[in-house]
Amino acid sequence: VPVDFETPVPCEASGDIAYDVAISDVSGLQVPKNIVDGSADREFIVTVAHVGGDDTAPVTVTVTAIPESGGSILADLDGDGIFTDPSPFVFPTTDIAAGGSESFSALISVDIGQQTTINWTAAVVAEFDVIVDNNNATATSSVRASGGGGGH
């Protein structure tokens, strides 16, 4: 090969950061199946797993709770017993090591005034995530109106 036409072959690490974080569509978003309207003692949990790559993944998790009949859901994100955070619920960025997982949870307050369904969506965002198709999960809760159960 002539000297002027040699192709250099780098043998150094690229330094690129890459990983895969995921929320399981089966168990990654856990919400109450049934909720009594007016309650403030139910919890949701989102679990994010670092399923690929060697780099630590800084992740931001957002959970949205939308009642079909309108209204809002409040959460106690900081655990102080005060329900002031409206949906969407955004958790502080957290680092997840390779092969690890992290759970994010909060108690919610439901005061809608009628029977309805809550549609939940959990999403994780990580800057260098190479597979984003596994970053969301959905679930539903049924809300029943509070009151006497006189039964008809």
Side-chain angles (χ1 to χ4, degrees), residues 4 28 30 35 54 66 70-71 76 95 105-106 115 124 129 134 152:
D4 293 338
Q30 298 174 24
I35 302 172
D54 295 328
I66 301 173
D76 175 14
D95 290 341
S105 64
Q115 184 171 321
V124 60
D129 191 357
N134 57 6
H152 289 321

Side-chain angles (χ1 to χ4, degrees), residues 94-150:
T94 301
D95 290 341
I96 302 177
S101 65
E102 185 74 31
S103 292
F104 303 83
S105 64
L107 290 176
I108 58 168
S109 172
V110 178
D111 193 8
I112 299 171
Q114 62 183 309
Q115 184 171 321
T116 191
T117 299
I118 300 172
N119 296 307
W120 297 82
T121 303
V124 60
V125 175
E127 183 178 6
F128 301 107
D129 191 357
V130 295
I131 302 173
V132 296
D133 291 345
N134 57 6
N135 290 10
N136 299 292
T138 59
T140 58
S141 296
S142 295
V143 177
R144 67 178 177 93
S146 60

Side-chain angles (χ1 to χ4, degrees), residues 43 75-85 91-92 105-108:
E43 180 181 41
D76 175 14
L77 292 181
D78 59 8
D80 65 1
I82 301 171
F83 297 87
T84 56
D85 301 298
F91 291 88
S105 64
L107 290 176
I108 58 168

